Amino acid sequence: MFKGSNVALITPFKNNLLDEDAYIKLIHFHIENGTSGLVPAGTTGESPTLSHDEHQKVIDLCIKESNGKIPVIAGTGSNSTEEAISLTSHAEKAGANGALIVTPYYNKPTPEGLYAHYEALDSASSGIPIIIYNIPSRSVIDIDVDLMGRLSQLDSIVGVKDATSDISRIKQHKELCKNDFIQLSGEDETIYDYMINGGQGCISVTANILPKICSDMHKAFSNNDLIEAKKLNEILMPLHKALFVETSPSPVKYILSKMDLIDY
């Protein structure tokens, strides 16, 4: 279910309020342009600064508007275990297909603390698939491959969004994690190498802007057409870089405003 070009959806605001009309328009923009899955309330969706009501609202709207056409992987992570459990429970009841749960930021837990965090989430879950979000550049903490192997044995843990840019981890995860463990890249710039080394897809910032090209690139990978995939990756590379000239999601929201998809 979780593969190909998944978009790390931005959260549009207007006059400091959630712009529901723009958000709904974005969801249908992605469905129409071949995006494989929607990821609301992640880093690009500004999850650390959303209120609880806003956080739940963007997940609810995404599930409602996508209407089962493509999977929704809801961002439900927190540095508070109890808050992550609460957000995940809400997403599960709302009908999300999966939960993207970031490592606890700021707290700097030990490896055993990280394991206890995800074990508590696994125990509290009624079965919603959990994708671990490993992004040390944002959260300070890194899940090494040995710990990822342990975590993958938990029933609810199905994969990782890996934003480390360490391509060597793909093979190591395959060796240490359960057989059906899903590996999604969290770095657009390294996606070509990530995919040819065995990754199954990406949770992409760039897909907010050019969903069709991102989708076509992943289709080329699935058809083993590496020449076409490389060509499309080269087209996308300048945008991959441009979207991080300042802290994300400011650049991507600016471009979307110039596309008349959101206010800025």
Side-chain angles (χ1 to χ4, degrees):
M1 182 184 293
F2 307 132
K3 60 183 180 180
S5 179
N6 301 276
V7 62
L9 274 173
I10 64 107
T11 303
F13 290 92
K14 188 173 184 179
N15 299 322
N16 292 322
L17 297 173
L18 174 65
D19 189 341
E20 294 187 20
D21 291 339
Y23 190 63
I24 289 168
K25 183 165 66 173
L26 286 173
I27 290 164
H28 290 281
F29 172 65
H30 285 288
I31 292 170
E32 291 161 8
N33 281 280
T35 295
S36 301
L38 302 167
V39 186
T43 301
T44 309
E46 301 173 72
S47 59
T49 51
L50 297 178
S51 70
H52 283 187
D53 286 344
E54 288 169 339
H55 197 127
Q56 294 180 357
K57 185 68 172 179
V58 296
I59 291 170
D60 289 344
L61 277 172
C62 193
I63 293 166
K64 178 184 176 183
E65 292 299 322
S66 61
N67 196 28
K69 294 175 183 175
I70 55 177
V72 174
I73 308 169
T76 61
S78 172
N79 62 339
S80 161
T81 303
E82 288 303 316
E83 183 173 286
I85 288 172
S86 176
L87 291 170
T88 304
S89 175
H90 167 264
E92 187 169 17
K93 289 174 183 175
N97 302 101
L100 179 68
I101 301 183
V102 70
T103 53
Y105 43 87
Y106 192 80
N107 298 341
K108 298 179 73 173
T110 64
E112 285 306 313
L114 280 168
Y115 187 86
H117 178 76
Y118 285 103
E119 185 179 41
L121 283 156
D122 175 69
S123 296
S125 168
S126 298
I128 187 171
I130 292 172
I131 295 174
I132 294 172
Y133 185 10
N134 193 24
I135 180 167
S137 64
R138 291 269 190 175
S139 62
V140 182
I141 293 299
D142 179 23
I143 298 180
D144 66 30
V145 292
D146 291 324
L147 178 56
M148 192 68 74
R150 285 182 65 200
L151 288 168
S152 78
Q153 305 308 315
L154 296 171
D155 290 340
S156 300
I157 306 294
V158 300
V160 61
K161 176 186 177 182
D162 189 331
T164 66
S165 296
D166 183 354
I167 302 300
S168 69
R169 294 193 182 203
I170 303 167
K171 181 179 179 181
Q172 292 173 301
H173 286 159
K174 284 185 176 181
E175 291 173 350
L176 295 171
C177 297
K178 59 191 175 189
N179 291 336
D180 54 353
F181 192 69
I182 299 163
Q183 299 194 64
L184 303 175
S185 172
E187 294 285 350
D188 281 301
E189 281 192 53
T190 61
I191 186 58
Y192 182 81
D193 288 336
Y194 195 89
M195 293 296 290
I196 63 173
N197 279 279
Q200 287 109 319
C202 185
I203 296 179
S204 169
V205 176
T206 303
N208 280 283
I209 307 298
L210 294 176
K212 180 68 164 60
I213 297 178
C214 289
S215 173
D216 287 347
M217 181 179 66
H218 283 275
K219 288 176 183 175
F221 277 120
S222 68
N223 293 327
N224 204 31
D225 187 351
L226 298 185
I227 294 174
E228 178 68 7
K230 188 173 184 179
K231 182 185 80 172
L232 294 173
N233 185 64
E234 288 171 354
I235 291 170
L236 291 166
M237 190 60 74
L239 184 56
H240 293 334
K241 294 179 182 294
L243 290 176
F244 289 88
V245 293
E246 291 185 6
T247 304
S248 185
S250 294
V252 67
K253 295 184 88 171
Y254 175 76
I255 295 173
L256 285 168
S257 73
K258 293 300 182 182
M259 295 168 67
D260 293 324
L261 288 170
I262 65 169
D263 278 357
Y264 186 74

